[in-house]
Every structure is written in C-alpha cells, then in structure tokens.
Amino acid sequence: FFFFGISNNFFLKNPKKATSSKMSGNYEETETGYFFEKVMLCEVANLSHHFTSQDVRNDCMVQNCERMPTVWNKLIGPKDCILVEHVCSSGKPNTLKALLRAGPREFLHFQPTESIGAIVTCGGLCPGLNSVIHYLTEMMLQNYGAKKVLGVIGGYAGFYNKNVPPIDLTMKVVEGIQHQGGTLLGSSRGGFDLEKIINFLVENKVTNLFVIGGDGTHRGADKVAQECLRRNLNISVAGIPKTIDNDVYMLDRCFGFSTAVEAAQKAIRVAVTEATCNIPNGIGIVKLMGRSSGYIAAHATMASGDVDLCLIPEVPIVLEGSKGCLPHLERVVQEKGYAVVVVAEGAGEELLGSSTETDLSGNKKLPKIGEFMERKINEYFLKKGKHCNPKYIDPSYMVRSVAANASDQIMCMQMGQNAVHAAMAGYTAFTVGLVNNKVVLIPISMVTEKSPRKLNSNGRTWERVISITLQPNTADGV
C-alpha cells in the first residue's frame, strides 16, 4: 500500500502577479504567477518501520581494485524527491505529487556482508534482461559485499522446480552477459505460487529479492512483499520493470523499448526495399509487437520517416470512406508508386473482435491484424481495377531477443544499481523507474493500478505520427 505525506520543506509562498522582471545574463526572467501550495510525497514502505535496522553507515562505494571503500559522492535524503507533474500551465492543480528519488542512502537497513540476494526474470523476453542481471549482481557483490546472490531459473516456477535449482551468480558467471540477448536465468509466464515462493526465500535465507518483469509480474512481487510483512519476515522485495511495449504506468520508458524501436527499423527498411522494387504498386506491411499499446509502432514510425500509414490499438481502423486508410494508401501509391504500412499487433479489434482466450500471464490473444490488412489491401485495389504487390513482414520476436543498445545498457545499469541501493536501505514493495528522466522509487501498487497504459490518441505523440504519414486521423473525439 502507499500513501502521500506532506513535507513542510516544500511549502511555497504565493508570489505576486506576473508584473516584475529582472535581467539574468543576456535574457530576462519574468514571474509567471504560478504557485504551489504543497508537495505530496508518495511514501515507499521501509522495513525499518517493522524491524530493527542495522543502521550500517553506507561507505560501500568501491573505487579501486584493492577494494578500498569510501562514501558515495551523493547520498540521498529521506525526503529528496522528484515532481511527477513538471509542466506548468493554467488550470493545473496547485498541489503536486512527488516520488522518492533513487540512490544510495546514508544508512543501511541490512548488514551487507550477511545479505543474500535472489534474482528472477519473468514473462516475455526483452532486450537488457542480462544487463540488469549483470548490474544487480555487480552492485550486490562488488560494491556492497553481499554474502551471495542466487539466480532463480525459469521465472516464478523456478522457486519450486526441483529439476532446475538456483545458480550462484558470481562476477565470473555474469561477466559479459550484458552483451547478450535473452536472459541467463531463463523466463516463463505464470507459475506464481505465493506459499512456495515464501518457502524458498525462508529456506535460502534471502534478504533481498529482485523481480524483473512487466505489470503482471509486479502484481506478483507486491503479493510477495505484503506476505513477507504479514509473516514478519525481514525481506526486501524490489521490482525492476521491463517491457518492450512501454506500457507500464507513470514511467517515461522501460529498458528494452529503445532497442526494440531500433530493431524495428531494419524491418521497415526491408519493407521500403520490397515496396519500391515490386512494380507496380508495391506496398510493404510491417507488423510490430506491443500488445494493446501502440508505442513501438508509433515510435518506429517517427524514427523511420518512411512510413505512410501507422495503425495502433488506441485509434480505430477505418477501411473506406473519407477517413479510410485504404483510399489513403491508393493516393500515396498513385503519387510515389509505393507505400509502407506499420501495424501494431493489437490494432483492429473493433474490426476483428476481441479474443476471450488468454496466455499463462493472463494476456488476451490478439487477432491477426497483419494478414487481415494484407488481404483487405489486395481486395481494395482489385475492386478499383488495379494490381498491387503487398509484401507482409513480421519481425515478431526479432525486436525483443536482441542485446540492449547503448541507451538501454545505461538505463539497465541505472535500474540495477538503484534497486540495490533502495533494497539495502530497507525499502520494499517498490519498483525503480524513470520519471521525468530521473530514477525514482515507486510503490508497486501505484504502478500496477493503472497498468498497462495506452498511448494517448489525442496527445502530441500521435499528432507527430500523422504529421509524418498524412493519414486520416480517426482518433476518438477528432
């Protein structure tokens, strides 16, 4: 559970109306007239409120090969926070919400040398999983000097699968894995058994559990954290959000998303080649992952600049008529001889219907929108007495099984390090994430209550997409 606390340090006085100004350097500063009454800090549960803390001074920053420790350059205070809403405009509330800033704390709840960590990866693959495993292990062993780090094999089921016992994660074991796709620990969907997971933690004397996964995985992690508190178990449970779909509520983005968008560019370039070389009227169609969120498709479209039609789950597909996507493709092909289409895998449920079937994670199975659009494009051009050459490309798992790119590597390092910092300081039932380009601690329940999120079809991202494709805007309310 989470609640909001008020810190008196954040009360600001009501400034006068925007009438005064001053010169600063070569530019003028003018009062805006905006003011804030208070900042509400979203508190994260801490084990020190339930158990006796070790209060170990955090001088665990190892700076040389001789392993001589020193104090971290920046220690984060208990009320240091990042504002969630950072844009000022008329009509905005004058009470702001804030999240705890991530980073090393002055005192540790756990004795580092007696701490035992456990890491598990759950759900689908994502670029950067091995990177997070690497940096979690490195921070626990190399900087905090933990006793041991266990790697749980095969997702939640690995906590009780006797055929695949956990492995000891050493610096030798994780060396170089950040350059590999997939996950050293393997992954799976489902398999959550609270009683058996708790038994594993107790039997292996785990003090810090790190769960890497999406919103479904985080719901499980929150149950583990709450059960540990209920049973009076001094165990920290930390989440590290991962999904190429970028659909975790509140976060700027998750690790792996940037890499997936980059990997999608290869498929789009192939589609361009196929469309331009197959004469007449070549049309390349690329289906991208993303489930019920259109972030990958939208961002891949913006990154490419070659896409003429982008279809996402948040915007209804209209086939014909004044706002039809098929007449739009016909116009594009007539003007330049070819067209490129990007379609998100969850798009078109308003045409194909919503499935009642689900996978082991509870995700509903999605209709085959790519094949459907290929067929409809063919039918439309034939009806118009024209020949076309649609080429359907489905990169599917190729965008998620690659190694993380440089941007995601840095993000994985930040997520891994800050998860360990918070866990060693006693925080629990939290996840680490990027909000307003700062790493913060968020109560898991706050993230999961509104996940998975959707791309705002009336927002600026979708507006940028259609400014590139020039397709008819069929978003609700337009």
Side-chain angles (χ1 to χ4, degrees):
F1 301 99
F2 63 92
F3 63 91
F4 296 102
I6 304 173
S7 173
N8 290 330
N9 294 332
F10 296 113
F11 279 80
L12 304 179
K13 295 181 179 179
N14 184 352
K16 298 177 181 178
K17 292 183 179 180
T19 55
S20 63
S21 64
K22 67 176 182 178
M23 292 299 296
S24 178
N26 294 322
Y27 60 92
E28 184 178 18
E29 294 181 348
T30 304
E31 286 188 23
T32 64
Y34 298 129
F35 70 96
F36 308 109
E37 289 185 350
K38 54 191 173 184
V39 173
M40 305 296 287
L41 179 60
C42 185
E43 301 284 359
V44 177
N46 196 293
L47 295 171
S48 63
H49 299 153
H50 305 270
F51 307 93
T52 301
S53 177
Q54 296 296 313
D55 283 333
V56 178
R57 180 167 171 76
N58 191 357
D59 59 353
C60 299
M61 176 60 201
V62 176
Q63 291 188 322
N64 55 53
C65 59
E66 296 178 358
R67 298 188 60 80
M68 295 297 293
T70 185
V71 177
W72 300 87
N73 287 340
K74 173 67 177 177
L75 293 172
I76 305 300
K79 295 295 183 181
D80 288 3
C81 61
I82 302 298
L83 297 178
V84 175
E85 180 55 75
H86 63 295
V87 178
C88 295
S89 62
S90 60
K92 293 276 186 177
N94 55 13
T95 297
L96 301 182
K97 185 187 299 184
L99 299 168
L100 280 175
R101 188 177 183 184
R105 265 55 184 178
E106 184 176 4
F107 294 100
L108 305 177
H109 175 75
F110 294 100
Q111 174 59 250
T113 55
E114 297 175 4
S115 298
I116 297 177
I119 304 171
V120 63
T121 54
C122 305
L125 296 183
C126 176
L129 284 171
N130 274 329
S131 304
V132 176
I133 295 169
H134 171 88
Y135 290 114
L136 284 171
T137 304
E138 181 181 72
M139 182 59 63
M140 284 289 288
L141 296 178
Q142 186 167 280
N143 289 106
Y144 280 98
K147 185 176 182 179
K148 182 192 296 186
V149 177
L150 299 173
V152 179
I153 305 298
Y156 278 133
F159 282 103
Y160 53 87
N161 188 345
K162 302 301 181 183
N163 296 321
V164 282
I167 61 174
D168 281 342
L169 294 174
T170 64
M171 290 306 300
K172 185 67 176 176
V173 169
V174 301
E175 182 180 0
I177 66 170
Q178 69 269 30
H179 305 301
Q180 303 170 14
T183 164
L184 171 72
L185 303 178
S187 188
S188 68
R189 299 189 184 277
F192 184 82
D193 188 312
L194 183 59
E195 185 67 27
K196 292 178 179 178
I197 292 172
I198 295 294
N199 289 342
F200 174 94
L201 299 178
V202 173
E203 290 171 7
N204 289 277
K205 299 179 180 179
V206 172
T207 55
N208 308 98
L209 173 62
F210 302 97
V211 182
I212 311 171
D215 58 297
T217 299
H218 272 68
R219 290 184 177 93
D222 197 42
K223 291 179 181 178
V224 174
Q226 302 305 331
E227 185 65 12
C228 286
L229 289 174
R230 191 185 72 81
R231 298 193 187 192
N232 207 35
L233 298 174
N234 190 17
I235 300 173
S236 168
V237 180
I240 298 95
K242 68 93 191 151
T243 170
I244 63 170
D245 305 336
N246 203 37
D247 59 356
V248 177
Y249 174 64
M250 290 198 72
L251 303 185
D252 295 353
R253 62 187 182 279
C254 290
F255 75 83
F257 174 67
S258 174
T259 304
V261 170
E262 183 177 307
Q265 299 306 300
K266 297 179 182 179
I268 294 175
R269 287 194 291 271
V270 168
V272 172
T273 301
E274 289 287 343
T276 54
C277 295
N278 281 280
I279 301 172
N281 304 332
I283 299 178
I285 307 167
V286 179
K287 189 194 81 171
L288 295 176
M289 302 183 81
R291 300 212 61 81
S292 297
S293 299
Y295 287 98
I296 294 181
H299 283 256
T301 295
M302 292 188 292
S304 168
D306 292 323
V307 179
D308 303 295
L309 176 64
C310 178
L311 303 175
I312 62 173
E314 295 87 346
V315 178
I317 297 176
V318 177
L319 294 176
E320 300 193 42
S322 61
K323 287 194 171 185
C325 62
L326 297 178
H328 168 69
L329 284 179
E330 183 185 16
R331 289 190 296 270
V332 171
V333 169
Q334 186 174 345
E335 289 175 7
K336 65 178 188 178
Y338 70 96
V340 176
V341 180
V342 166
V343 54
E345 64 177 347
E349 284 192 334
E350 67 280 353
L351 297 176
L352 300 176
S354 179
S355 175
T356 57
E357 296 183 70
T358 60
D359 60 22
L360 292 175
S361 293
N363 300 314
K364 64 181 178 181
K365 295 187 176 180
L366 301 170
K368 296 183 177 181
I369 185 61
E371 294 93 330
F372 173 81
M373 286 305 301
E374 181 185 23
R375 186 172 69 253
K376 287 299 179 181
I377 290 170
N378 247 327
E379 292 174 357
Y380 179 81
F381 274 78
L382 285 174
K383 186 173 68 174
K384 292 287 185 173
K386 299 177 180 179
H387 179 73
C388 75
N389 282 293
K391 302 298 178 183
Y392 178 57
I393 300 165
D394 183 359
S396 189
Y397 301 106
M398 292 175 64
V399 305
R400 76 173 197 180
S401 58
V402 296
N405 63 13
S407 175
D408 276 332
Q409 287 285 4
I410 294 172
M411 189 175 185
C412 290
M413 177 199 69
Q414 292 175 314
M415 297 302 109
Q417 289 186 351
N418 283 295
V420 174
H421 286 319
M424 293 302 292
Y427 289 106
T428 189
F430 72 92
T431 191
V432 290
L434 206 62
V435 175
N436 298 331
N437 212 35
K438 300 291 185 182
V439 185
V440 296
L441 309 182
I442 315 172
I444 292 179
S445 56
M446 189 176 182
V447 170
T448 57
E449 69 174 351
K450 293 185 180 180
S451 290
R453 69 176 173 187
K454 303 276 191 176
L455 188 147
N456 181 3
S457 59
N458 298 118
R460 299 183 70 187
T461 296
W462 182 243
E463 186 177 63
R464 293 179 182 118
V465 169
I466 61 176
S467 74
I468 294 170
T469 64
L470 299 181
Q471 68 194 72
N473 190 0
T474 57
D476 293 337
V478 174

